[in-house]
Structures are given as C-alpha cells and as structure tokens.
Amino acid sequence: MDAREMKVKAAEAALQHVEDGMRLGIGTGSTAEEFVRLLAEKVAEGLKVLGVPTSERTARLCLELGVPLKSLEELPELDLTIDGADELDSALSLIKGGGGALLREKIVAAASARMIVIADETKLVETLGRFPLPIEVNPFGLAATRIAIEKSAARLGLTGEIRLRRAGEDVFTTDGGHFILDASFGRIPDAEALSIQLHSIPGVVEHGLFINMASSAIIAGPAGARTLKAN
Ligand SMILES: O=C(CO)[C@H](O)[C@H](O)COP(=O)(O)O
C-alpha cells in the first residue's frame, strides 16, 4: 500500500463517523483532501452536511467538488472536525501546521465537540519533535519574536534552528496574513510547557502543538486502519 492509499484508508474510516445533519470542521492537507473527495461523493448521493473549512485551499476544493460550506461566523459550534497531522503521539498530542493552516485549524477544532485525526502510521512518534514545530507569528517584530522564541525554548532545554518559511522566492504568508517560523528543536519532552512559553510571547499568534484537542486518531498502515482514543 503506498502513501496515498494509506491516506485514503484513514479518510474512509473517518467518513464512517459523519452523520446526516452534521456541522463539520474540514481540515487542510493531503490527507484531509482525500477525506473531502470521499465526503463529496456522499454529498452527491444525498448526505446533508455543512462544512467549515480550515483554509482557503480546503474551501476551494470543497466548492469545486460540491461540498456545502459555511463560515465559522455562521456556524460557530461544530459537531466534528476531521483533520490531518504532521505528527502525533500515543496521548494524541499533535504537531500541525505543515500546510500552514494551523491557526484556523486550531480555532475550528476548538469549536468542535470532537476532533478526529487522520494520518498514516509514519506520523506516529513516541515523543513529538521529529517534525519541525510551525509557529505562526505576526510579521511586525519578526526578529524580536524569533529571539524571544529562542530564549523561551532554551529555558526548557530546547535549542535548534528556527527558519522563516518561504514559498519559492517569497515569504510564505498564512490565510491570516502572518508568517511561519519552523522550529527544529528536536524531541519535545514537555509539549505543554513549551505551549505555555510560546503563548506568553506577544508576537506569537499560535503554534502547531495541539494538546488535549483530538478525541481520537485513525491511523492507517499496510494492514488497514486502526483507531487510537485519547485517554
Ligand atoms: O496541519 C496541517 C496543515 O496545516 C496538515 O494537517 C498537516 O500538515 C498534514 O498534512 P498531510 O496530510 O498533507 O501530511
């Protein structure tokens, strides 16, 4: 089974949790896009759902495929969010933001009664941090914010390169008009402590650590999909 087939397997299993009438948060990334394609087929067969997209990219795909959308302003309380992740551990703490949508993803997940993560088994790690942590920052004071992040991380014994994300020649800009710093701190033994530190920095808009947000994760591997539950 190749990587794409595993993403489809996870998306298929997630679709089983979608019920008629649901208000759905719809994630961003290649795995979430497999989910959107399958959801669109069900919508074409008559399933009634209203989706709230976590990015402009997801919104475009949903509109193209006929998945009905509302904004989070119109639907501020959601039943379920289905989204991918860059990394997850057995407690279902996540690193997200590889696709640059972490802020909207976190706001949408927080507005949802449940969040199901869909991923292939290569994303499962013992300790978060193999994937560089995306940190969304305000463009104003970028250098000062970067230094503040370095100092905060160092207080927790975390060091490593912090790179400004680029899109070709340009600086990558999120849907909210912010920049992303990708922090290669290595393994993060205390993600909660790092989250608190990062939230205390004024220039940090949000970070990609999702702690206590996922209710379950559907992990696909060559043998099929299995579900991990949050403790
Ligand atoms: O957090 C995300 C986007 O901001 C994605 O969920 C994450 O990057 C996983 O993407 P993919 O399914 O393409 O591996």
Side-chain angles (χ1 to χ4, degrees):
M1 200 184 292
D2 66 20
R4 178 164 178 264
E5 286 167 334
M6 286 200 272
K7 289 173 191 187
V8 173
K9 278 269 165 277
E12 275 170 355
L15 196 61
Q16 306 302 314
H17 296 265
V18 176
E19 292 165 18
D20 211 48
M22 270 189 168
R23 300 160 298 177
L24 272 187
I26 305 180
T28 297
S30 55
T31 317
E33 284 175 9
E34 296 302 343
F35 172 75
V36 172
R37 289 193 184 93
L38 295 170
L39 180 67
E41 287 172 15
K42 291 284 171 204
V43 167
E45 289 165 14
L47 179 76
K48 297 257 179 298
V49 290
L50 289 172
V52 171
T54 53
S55 63
E56 300 300 328
R57 168 178 157 187
T58 294
R60 279 193 295 275
L61 183 66
C62 288
L63 290 174
E64 196 183 299
L65 298 179
V67 174
L69 293 183
K70 292 280 179 194
S71 69
L72 195 59
E73 282 313 296
E74 293 167 303
L75 280 188
E77 291 182 304
L78 305 174
D79 300 298
L80 173 66
T81 286
I82 310 274
D83 200 350
D86 298 299
E87 205 167 88
L88 72 159
D89 67 14
S90 59
L92 303 193
S93 292
L94 318 173
I95 287 183
K96 287 185 52 56
L102 66 100
L103 176 61
R104 292 191 186 184
E105 289 173 330
K106 202 177 266 191
I107 293 171
V108 168
S112 301
R114 284 190 299 146
M115 177 193 194
I116 299 179
V117 176
I118 47 177
D120 66 74
E121 65 183 13
T122 62
K123 308 270 185 77
L124 197 54
V125 295
E126 207 160 295
T127 308
L128 295 179
R130 184 179 66 193
F131 192 90
L133 177 66
I135 305 172
E136 185 156 346
V137 298
N138 198 296
F140 180 83
L142 177 64
T145 301
R146 186 200 291 251
I147 292 169
I149 292 171
E150 275 165 2
K151 286 185 177 166
S152 297
R155 265 179 236 124
L156 299 172
L158 299 171
T159 54
E161 191 185 11
I162 299 178
R163 260 174 193 259
L164 180 63
R165 192 179 296 183
R166 307 200 72 91
E169 296 288 291
D170 302 319
V171 176
F172 176 87
T173 305
T174 67
D175 287 342
H178 308 125
F179 293 165
I180 291 198
L181 293 171
D182 290 303
S184 296
F185 292 142
R187 304 299 156 156
I188 303 167
D190 191 344
E192 211 153 337
L194 180 59
S195 169
I196 292 166
Q197 287 285 332
L198 292 174
H199 278 150
S200 72
I201 301 169
V204 169
V205 178
E206 194 45 86
H207 58 70
L209 291 167
F210 284 48
I211 302 167
N212 295 328
M213 297 197 84
S215 342
S216 60
I218 296 170
I219 307 294
R226 66 196 159 106
T227 300
L228 300 180
K229 294 259 180 226
N231 301 323

mmCIF file of all heavy atoms in Angstrom, residues 7 27-33 57 83-87 95-102 105 118-120 123 131 165 210, ligand 1:
data_model
loop_
_atom_site.group_PDB
_atom_site.id
_atom_site.type_symbol
_atom_site.label_atom_id
_atom_site.label_comp_id
_atom_site.label_asym_id
_atom_site.label_seq_id
_atom_site.Cartn_x
_atom_site.Cartn_y
_atom_site.Cartn_z
ATOM 1 N N LYS A 7 -3.581 7.159 3.143
ATOM 2 C CA LYS A 7 -4.364 8.364 3.465
ATOM 3 C C LYS A 7 -5.849 8.117 3.146
ATOM 4 O O LYS A 7 -6.737 8.511 3.903
ATOM 5 C CB LYS A 7 -3.851 9.562 2.656
ATOM 6 C CG LYS A 7 -2.491 10.027 3.124
ATOM 7 C CD LYS A 7 -1.912 11.086 2.219
ATOM 8 C CE LYS A 7 -0.446 11.286 2.590
ATOM 9 N NZ LYS A 7 0.198 12.375 1.912
ATOM 10 N N GLY A 27 -10.465 19.774 7.621
ATOM 11 C CA GLY A 27 -9.046 20.085 7.760
ATOM 12 C C GLY A 27 -8.343 20.430 6.455
ATOM 13 O O GLY A 27 -8.960 20.525 5.392
ATOM 14 N N THR A 28 -7.048 20.610 6.594
ATOM 15 C CA THR A 28 -6.202 21.031 5.470
ATOM 16 C C THR A 28 -5.055 20.035 5.305
ATOM 17 O O THR A 28 -4.563 19.489 6.286
ATOM 18 C CB THR A 28 -5.642 22.447 5.757
ATOM 19 O OG1 THR A 28 -6.750 23.345 5.829
ATOM 20 C CG2 THR A 28 -4.688 22.911 4.673
ATOM 21 N N GLY A 29 -4.635 19.838 4.051
ATOM 22 C CA GLY A 29 -3.507 18.942 3.788
ATOM 23 C C GLY A 29 -3.921 17.807 2.874
ATOM 24 O O GLY A 29 -5.107 17.663 2.541
ATOM 25 N N SER A 30 -2.952 16.999 2.489
ATOM 26 C CA SER A 30 -3.237 15.959 1.500
ATOM 27 C C SER A 30 -4.160 14.868 2.064
ATOM 28 O O SER A 30 -4.986 14.307 1.326
ATOM 29 C CB SER A 30 -1.935 15.345 0.988
ATOM 30 O OG SER A 30 -1.173 14.864 2.076
ATOM 31 N N THR A 31 -4.055 14.563 3.361
ATOM 32 C CA THR A 31 -4.925 13.528 3.939
ATOM 33 C C THR A 31 -6.354 14.070 4.060
ATOM 34 O O THR A 31 -7.324 13.387 3.705
ATOM 35 C CB THR A 31 -4.394 13.078 5.321
ATOM 36 O OG1 THR A 31 -2.972 12.931 5.240
ATOM 37 C CG2 THR A 31 -5.008 11.760 5.743
ATOM 38 N N ALA A 32 -6.461 15.301 4.532
ATOM 39 C CA ALA A 32 -7.791 15.928 4.633
ATOM 40 C C ALA A 32 -8.429 16.029 3.244
ATOM 41 O O ALA A 32 -9.654 15.898 3.101
ATOM 42 C CB ALA A 32 -7.673 17.302 5.286
ATOM 43 N N GLU A 33 -7.621 16.244 2.224
ATOM 44 C CA GLU A 33 -8.187 16.350 0.872
ATOM 45 C C GLU A 33 -8.760 15.010 0.387
ATOM 46 O O GLU A 33 -9.763 14.994 -0.340
ATOM 47 C CB GLU A 33 -7.138 16.904 -0.085
ATOM 48 C CG GLU A 33 -6.979 18.410 0.136
ATOM 49 C CD GLU A 33 -5.881 19.074 -0.665
ATOM 50 O OE1 GLU A 33 -5.307 18.430 -1.560
ATOM 51 O OE2 GLU A 33 -5.603 20.255 -0.387
ATOM 52 N N ARG A 57 -7.489 26.977 0.837
ATOM 53 C CA ARG A 57 -7.215 25.827 -0.041
ATOM 54 C C ARG A 57 -8.304 24.759 0.089
ATOM 55 O O ARG A 57 -8.827 24.257 -0.911
ATOM 56 C CB ARG A 57 -5.830 25.280 0.359
ATOM 57 C CG ARG A 57 -5.449 23.961 -0.205
ATOM 58 C CD ARG A 57 -4.042 23.602 0.249
ATOM 59 N NE ARG A 57 -3.813 22.173 0.204
ATOM 60 C CZ ARG A 57 -2.726 21.554 0.671
ATOM 61 N NH1 ARG A 57 -1.757 22.259 1.217
ATOM 62 N NH2 ARG A 57 -2.599 20.256 0.581
ATOM 63 N N ASP A 83 -9.309 16.151 10.543
ATOM 64 C CA ASP A 83 -8.118 16.863 10.054
ATOM 65 C C ASP A 83 -6.908 15.935 10.111
ATOM 66 O O ASP A 83 -6.901 14.953 10.861
ATOM 67 C CB ASP A 83 -7.874 18.112 10.926
ATOM 68 C CG ASP A 83 -7.005 19.155 10.232
ATOM 69 O OD1 ASP A 83 -6.431 18.870 9.166
ATOM 70 O OD2 ASP A 83 -6.897 20.276 10.774
ATOM 71 N N GLY A 84 -5.908 16.261 9.331
ATOM 72 C CA GLY A 84 -4.652 15.510 9.346
ATOM 73 C C GLY A 84 -3.728 16.036 10.426
ATOM 74 O O GLY A 84 -4.092 16.909 11.224
ATOM 75 N N ALA A 85 -2.517 15.499 10.456
ATOM 76 C CA ALA A 85 -1.494 15.989 11.400
ATOM 77 C C ALA A 85 -0.126 15.674 10.797
ATOM 78 O O ALA A 85 0.008 14.768 9.968
ATOM 79 C CB ALA A 85 -1.639 15.309 12.752
ATOM 80 N N ASP A 86 0.853 16.431 11.223
ATOM 81 C CA ASP A 86 2.224 16.154 10.783
ATOM 82 C C ASP A 86 2.870 15.103 11.677
ATOM 83 O O ASP A 86 3.765 14.385 11.243
ATOM 84 C CB ASP A 86 3.045 17.447 10.808
ATOM 85 C CG ASP A 86 2.468 18.455 9.841
ATOM 86 O OD1 ASP A 86 2.430 18.146 8.641
ATOM 87 O OD2 ASP A 86 1.997 19.513 10.282
ATOM 88 N N GLU A 87 2.384 15.040 12.904
ATOM 89 C CA GLU A 87 2.954 14.110 13.869
ATOM 90 C C GLU A 87 1.963 13.941 15.013
ATOM 91 O O GLU A 87 1.249 14.882 15.354
ATOM 92 C CB GLU A 87 4.240 14.743 14.407
ATOM 93 C CG GLU A 87 5.258 13.772 14.929
ATOM 94 C CD GLU A 87 6.592 14.459 15.125
ATOM 95 O OE1 GLU A 87 6.815 15.012 16.208
ATOM 96 O OE2 GLU A 87 7.408 14.451 14.191
ATOM 97 N N ILE A 95 1.542 17.632 16.336
ATOM 98 C CA ILE A 95 2.156 18.792 15.678
ATOM 99 C C ILE A 95 1.411 18.967 14.371
ATOM 100 O O ILE A 95 1.242 18.021 13.599
ATOM 101 C CB ILE A 95 3.665 18.602 15.420
ATOM 102 C CG1 ILE A 95 4.444 18.718 16.743
ATOM 103 C CG2 ILE A 95 4.174 19.661 14.428
ATOM 104 C CD1 ILE A 95 5.941 18.628 16.606
ATOM 105 N N LYS A 96 0.917 20.206 14.171
ATOM 106 C CA LYS A 96 0.228 20.543 12.933
ATOM 107 C C LYS A 96 0.794 21.846 12.381
ATOM 108 O O LYS A 96 1.508 22.563 13.055
ATOM 109 C CB LYS A 96 -1.279 20.701 13.180
ATOM 110 C CG LYS A 96 -1.969 19.353 13.409
ATOM 111 C CD LYS A 96 -3.489 19.460 13.531
ATOM 112 C CE LYS A 96 -4.166 20.191 12.428
ATOM 113 N NZ LYS A 96 -3.921 19.691 11.069
ATOM 114 N N GLY A 97 0.443 22.118 11.128
ATOM 115 C CA GLY A 97 0.873 23.378 10.534
ATOM 116 C C GLY A 97 1.828 23.228 9.378
ATOM 117 O O GLY A 97 2.264 24.220 8.796
ATOM 118 N N GLY A 98 2.127 21.960 9.026
ATOM 119 C CA GLY A 98 2.986 21.739 7.858
ATOM 120 C C GLY A 98 2.395 22.364 6.605
ATOM 121 O O GLY A 98 3.114 22.806 5.710
ATOM 122 N N GLY A 99 1.073 22.416 6.562
ATOM 123 C CA GLY A 99 0.394 23.039 5.417
ATOM 124 C C GLY A 99 0.119 24.517 5.637
ATOM 125 O O GLY A 99 -0.503 25.172 4.793
ATOM 126 N N GLY A 100 0.537 25.030 6.773
ATOM 127 C CA GLY A 100 0.432 26.470 7.035
ATOM 128 C C GLY A 100 -0.932 26.935 7.518
ATOM 129 O O GLY A 100 -1.191 28.136 7.553
ATOM 130 N N ALA A 101 -1.790 25.987 7.923
ATOM 131 C CA ALA A 101 -3.166 26.383 8.279
ATOM 132 C C ALA A 101 -3.434 26.236 9.779
ATOM 133 O O ALA A 101 -4.579 26.200 10.204
ATOM 134 C CB ALA A 101 -4.160 25.548 7.487
ATOM 135 N N LEU A 102 -2.377 26.188 10.579
ATOM 136 C CA LEU A 102 -2.558 25.782 11.975
ATOM 137 C C LEU A 102 -3.495 26.679 12.778
ATOM 138 O O LEU A 102 -4.239 26.200 13.639
ATOM 139 C CB LEU A 102 -1.202 25.668 12.668
ATOM 140 C CG LEU A 102 -0.398 26.958 12.864
ATOM 141 C CD1 LEU A 102 -0.534 27.484 14.265
ATOM 142 C CD2 LEU A 102 1.051 26.712 12.535
ATOM 143 N N GLU A 105 -7.004 25.918 11.782
ATOM 144 C CA GLU A 105 -7.258 24.530 12.196
ATOM 145 C C GLU A 105 -7.516 24.451 13.696
ATOM 146 O O GLU A 105 -8.405 23.726 14.150
ATOM 147 C CB GLU A 105 -6.065 23.644 11.822
ATOM 148 C CG GLU A 105 -5.948 23.424 10.323
ATOM 149 C CD GLU A 105 -4.678 22.692 9.917
ATOM 150 O OE1 GLU A 105 -3.653 22.817 10.599
ATOM 151 O OE2 GLU A 105 -4.718 22.011 8.882
ATOM 152 N N ILE A 118 -6.707 12.112 11.135
ATOM 153 C CA ILE A 118 -6.471 11.039 10.161
ATOM 154 C C ILE A 118 -5.025 11.132 9.677
ATOM 155 O O ILE A 118 -4.552 12.210 9.314
ATOM 156 C CB ILE A 118 -7.470 11.087 8.974
ATOM 157 C CG1 ILE A 118 -7.614 12.502 8.399
ATOM 158 C CG2 ILE A 118 -8.818 10.538 9.397
ATOM 159 C CD1 ILE A 118 -8.539 12.583 7.177
ATOM 160 N N ALA A 119 -4.342 9.992 9.713
ATOM 161 C CA ALA A 119 -2.910 10.013 9.378
ATOM 162 C C ALA A 119 -2.453 8.611 8.999
ATOM 163 O O ALA A 119 -3.090 7.623 9.347
ATOM 164 C CB ALA A 119 -2.110 10.498 10.586
ATOM 165 N N ASP A 120 -1.336 8.558 8.300
ATOM 166 C CA ASP A 120 -0.729 7.244 8.091
ATOM 167 C C ASP A 120 0.250 6.983 9.227
ATOM 168 O O ASP A 120 0.653 7.899 9.939
ATOM 169 C CB ASP A 120 -0.061 7.166 6.711
ATOM 170 C CG ASP A 120 1.115 8.089 6.609
ATOM 171 O OD1 ASP A 120 2.156 7.783 7.207
ATOM 172 O OD2 ASP A 120 0.981 9.134 5.945
ATOM 173 N N LYS A 123 3.365 8.908 10.814
ATOM 174 C CA LYS A 123 3.251 10.155 11.597
ATOM 175 C C LYS A 123 3.272 9.901 13.107
ATOM 176 O O LYS A 123 3.352 10.849 13.888
ATOM 177 C CB LYS A 123 1.936 10.864 11.246
ATOM 178 C CG LYS A 123 1.687 11.081 9.757
ATOM 179 C CD LYS A 123 2.228 12.381 9.300
ATOM 180 C CE LYS A 123 1.926 12.755 7.874
ATOM 181 N NZ LYS A 123 0.590 13.241 7.631
ATOM 182 N N PHE A 131 9.241 16.329 13.508
ATOM 183 C CA PHE A 131 8.787 17.318 12.521
ATOM 184 C C PHE A 131 9.022 18.713 13.119
ATOM 185 O O PHE A 131 8.644 18.965 14.268
ATOM 186 C CB PHE A 131 7.291 17.103 12.246
ATOM 187 C CG PHE A 131 6.789 17.859 11.055
ATOM 188 C CD1 PHE A 131 6.816 17.293 9.793
ATOM 189 C CD2 PHE A 131 6.297 19.147 11.199
ATOM 190 C CE1 PHE A 131 6.359 17.992 8.682
ATOM 191 C CE2 PHE A 131 5.837 19.861 10.101
ATOM 192 C CZ PHE A 131 5.870 19.284 8.842
ATOM 193 N N ARG A 165 9.589 30.317 7.082
ATOM 194 C CA ARG A 165 9.095 29.509 5.949
ATOM 195 C C ARG A 165 8.964 30.369 4.691
ATOM 196 O O ARG A 165 8.506 31.513 4.746
ATOM 197 C CB ARG A 165 7.732 28.888 6.288
ATOM 198 C CG ARG A 165 7.354 27.825 5.247
ATOM 199 C CD ARG A 165 6.046 27.169 5.545
ATOM 200 N NE ARG A 165 6.056 26.409 6.790
ATOM 201 C CZ ARG A 165 5.026 25.697 7.221
ATOM 202 N NH1 ARG A 165 3.914 25.651 6.501
ATOM 203 N NH2 ARG A 165 5.088 25.039 8.360
ATOM 204 N N PHE A 210 -0.969 20.815 19.282
ATOM 205 C CA PHE A 210 -2.387 20.627 19.609
ATOM 206 C C PHE A 210 -2.427 19.626 20.758
ATOM 207 O O PHE A 210 -2.187 18.429 20.551
ATOM 208 C CB PHE A 210 -3.156 20.068 18.407
ATOM 209 C CG PHE A 210 -3.464 21.080 17.315
ATOM 210 C CD1 PHE A 210 -2.493 21.926 16.816
ATOM 211 C CD2 PHE A 210 -4.744 21.148 16.771
ATOM 212 C CE1 PHE A 210 -2.777 22.843 15.797
ATOM 213 C CE2 PHE A 210 -5.049 22.059 15.753
ATOM 214 C CZ PHE A 210 -4.064 22.910 15.281
HETATM 215 O O1 LIG B 1 -1.532 20.708 9.750
HETATM 216 C C1 LIG B 1 -1.752 20.597 8.568
HETATM 217 C C2 LIG B 1 -1.899 21.757 7.667
HETATM 218 O O2 LIG B 1 -1.638 22.955 8.334
HETATM 219 C C3 LIG B 1 -1.913 19.238 7.958
HETATM 220 O O3 LIG B 1 -2.923 18.578 8.638
HETATM 221 C C4 LIG B 1 -0.628 18.504 8.122
HETATM 222 O O4 LIG B 1 0.384 19.281 7.506
HETATM 223 C C5 LIG B 1 -0.701 17.116 7.494
HETATM 224 O O5 LIG B 1 -0.765 17.229 6.115
HETATM 225 P P1 LIG B 1 -0.698 15.957 5.176
HETATM 226 O O6 LIG B 1 -1.968 15.228 5.373
HETATM 227 O O7 LIG B 1 -0.535 16.537 3.775
HETATM 228 O O8 LIG B 1 0.512 15.151 5.583
#
